[in-house]
């Protein structure tokens, strides 16, 4: 029981438990997290309003780079996201419907030379059955904010279970004090799309770390942290062709935009024991008739003992 309690405490506080000592053995290596909310972005409360993701990593001892074997390094990912219309009181036929989604997935990360790959499968649980609408209402009530009305929640995307598969390929290229990583990504599931983009980093933080991409913002957060103290600045952008989305169903009259664009920037700071990441992402319009783009903020705080 003591070892279990220590493990739970380490995960809750963001600490990285000791890695597996034998490279032939698979063990728990660490966890990465990212919290996203538009209130720490443009200050609004709309559309891609909030999400949280945690990535638990298993594998042999981390060697400061991805292994070459498919399946050697595993990421178990758990995330929750709330998507909402811009008006939480009144249903508008020109705005998107409310939606809550919980995602549970397993992904493997590996490389061949400078070529990096991620492949995974998820189960996306959607609708009132997630109780994310109850969670948001409780938080909004506690903070004195407007909660979703019965009409808005009655119009939300209904209960369903959606299997999902995805693949990402990236290539890391270093130059001077920086490095750029162009990538392509494909997904079929709750949202099906093909995406192309890049991530540009200046600084030492992130070198030797395992980086995982957030699905909402596109930011790459640190799942395994082994960088020396310092600061890194990141810039990125991508463009996706979305073929279908359970959150914007054609049966309800929604038409997806020709492309879905994202532009992001952020800073990683690593101290002797603690680290912080903050970033912002501009999200382009996702459906025809969306009144504006939005800016969401992303934050991660790690405290290690």
């Amino acid at each position: 029981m003591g070892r279990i309690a220590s493990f739970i405490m380490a995960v809750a506080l963001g600490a990285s438990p000791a890695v597996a000592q034998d490279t032939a053995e698979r063990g728990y290596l660490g966890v990465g997290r990212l919290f996203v909310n538009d209130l720490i972005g443009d200050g609004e409360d709309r559309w891609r309003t909030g999400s949280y993701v945690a990535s638990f990593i298993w594998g042999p001892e981390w060697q400061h780079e991805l292994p070459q074997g498919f399946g050697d390094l595993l990421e178990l990912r758990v995330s929750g996201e709330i998507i909402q219309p811009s008006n939480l009181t009144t249903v508008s036929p020109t705005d998107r419907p409310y939606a809550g989604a919980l995602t549970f997935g397993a992904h493997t990360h590996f490389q061949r030379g400078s070529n990096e790959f991620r492949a995974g499968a998820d189960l996306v649980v959607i609708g009132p059955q997630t109780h994310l609408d109850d969670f948001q209402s409780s938080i909004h009530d506690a903070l004195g904010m407007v909660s979703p009305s019965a009409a808005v929640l009655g119009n939300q995307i209904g209960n369903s279970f959606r299997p999902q598969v995805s693949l990402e390929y990236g290539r890391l290229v270093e130059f001077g004090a920086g490095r750029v990583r162009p990538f392509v990504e494909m997904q079929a599931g709750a949202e099906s799309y093909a995406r192309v983009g890049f991530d540009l980093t200046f600084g030492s933080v992130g070198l030797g770390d395992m980086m995982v991409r957030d699905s909402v913002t596109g930011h790459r957060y640190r799942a395994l942290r082994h960088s020396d103290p310092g600061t890194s600045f990141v810039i990125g952008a991508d463009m996706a062709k979305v073929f279908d989305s359970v959150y914007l169903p054609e049966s309800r009259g929604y038409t997806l935009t020709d492309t879905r664009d994202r532009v992001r920037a952020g800073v990683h700071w690593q101290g002797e024991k603690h680290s912080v990441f903050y970033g912002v992402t501009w999200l382009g319009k996702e459906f025809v008739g969306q009144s504006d783009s939005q800016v969401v903020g992303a934050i991660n705080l790690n405290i290690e003992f």
Side-chain angles (χ1 to χ4, degrees):
M1 289 298 293
R3 294 183 64 184
I4 295 174
S6 298
F7 174 84
I8 294 173
M9 181 63 72
V11 170
L13 294 177
S16 296
V19 300
Q21 296 301 310
D22 186 345
T23 56
E25 297 178 355
R26 186 186 306 278
Y28 173 72
L29 302 180
V31 58
R33 306 176 185 82
L34 194 69
F35 171 70
V36 176
N37 198 282
D38 53 352
L39 289 178
I40 56 174
D42 57 20
E44 303 288 347
D45 188 21
R46 55 185 181 173
W47 304 321
R48 296 278 180 172
T49 185
S51 65
Y52 181 81
V53 60
S55 296
F56 302 91
I57 310 301
W58 271 266
E61 184 176 6
W62 178 245
Q63 300 293 328
H64 310 298
E65 64 179 9
L66 295 175
Q68 294 192 17
F70 179 93
D72 287 349
L73 191 68
L74 294 177
E75 173 204 355
L76 301 183
R77 186 182 305 178
V78 181
S79 66
E81 183 181 8
I82 295 172
I83 307 173
Q84 66 179 50
S86 58
N87 187 328
L88 284 176
T89 304
T90 305
V91 175
S92 170
T94 61
D95 206 347
R96 71 183 305 156
Y98 190 99
L102 293 174
T103 302
F104 306 90
H107 301 251
T108 182
H109 300 252
F110 59 100
Q111 69 177 22
R112 297 286 191 275
S114 297
N115 302 304
E116 300 177 343
F117 301 88
R118 176 196 59 79
D122 305 287
L123 176 65
V124 187
V125 185
I126 301 167
Q129 63 187 339
T130 65
H131 295 286
L132 288 173
D133 49 359
D134 297 330
F135 174 75
Q136 185 188 34
S137 295
S138 298
I139 296 297
H140 279 210
D141 290 344
L143 297 177
M145 301 171 60
V146 175
S147 295
S149 68
V152 168
L153 295 181
N155 190 55
Q156 70 178 293
I157 299 298
N159 291 337
S160 65
F161 296 87
R162 299 296 180 108
Q164 184 166 274
V165 293
S166 60
L167 174 68
E168 179 178 331
Y169 161 74
R171 182 176 179 85
L172 188 64
V173 180
E174 298 187 33
F175 61 94
R179 52 196 181 276
V180 63
R181 184 181 183 274
F183 72 94
V184 294
E185 182 184 13
M186 293 174 288
Q187 177 176 290
E191 293 196 299
S192 299
Y193 57 75
R195 171 175 284 139
V196 60
F198 72 91
D199 300 286
L200 180 62
T201 305
F202 296 97
S204 61
V205 178
L207 284 172
D209 296 343
M210 180 184 174
M211 309 295 290
V212 178
R213 188 177 305 283
D214 173 54
S215 63
V216 177
T217 64
H219 279 298
R220 300 181 76 216
Y221 56 94
R222 301 163 70 199
L224 299 179
R225 297 169 293 278
H226 292 278
S227 300
D228 293 330
T231 303
S232 284
F233 299 93
V234 296
I235 301 171
D238 54 59
M239 176 184 296
K241 173 61 178 178
V242 182
F243 303 104
D244 60 75
S245 171
V246 68
Y247 309 119
L248 294 165
E250 186 178 355
S251 61
R252 292 200 189 186
Y254 292 100
T255 301
L256 301 175
T257 52
D258 290 336
T259 60
R260 185 179 295 182
D261 308 318
R262 305 186 298 197
V263 180
R264 53 191 170 270
V267 57
H268 292 273
W269 174 83
Q270 175 67 57
E272 292 293 340
K273 292 185 176 180
H274 315 312
S275 64
V276 178
F277 169 77
Y278 174 74
V280 294
T281 302
W282 173 86
L283 301 176
K285 297 178 181 181
E286 297 189 5
F287 62 97
V288 175
Q290 183 174 338
S291 60
D292 198 1
S293 57
Q294 69 177 127
V295 177
V296 298
I299 192 168
N300 171 256
L301 172 65
N302 289 286
I303 300 175
E304 301 194 12
F305 299 96

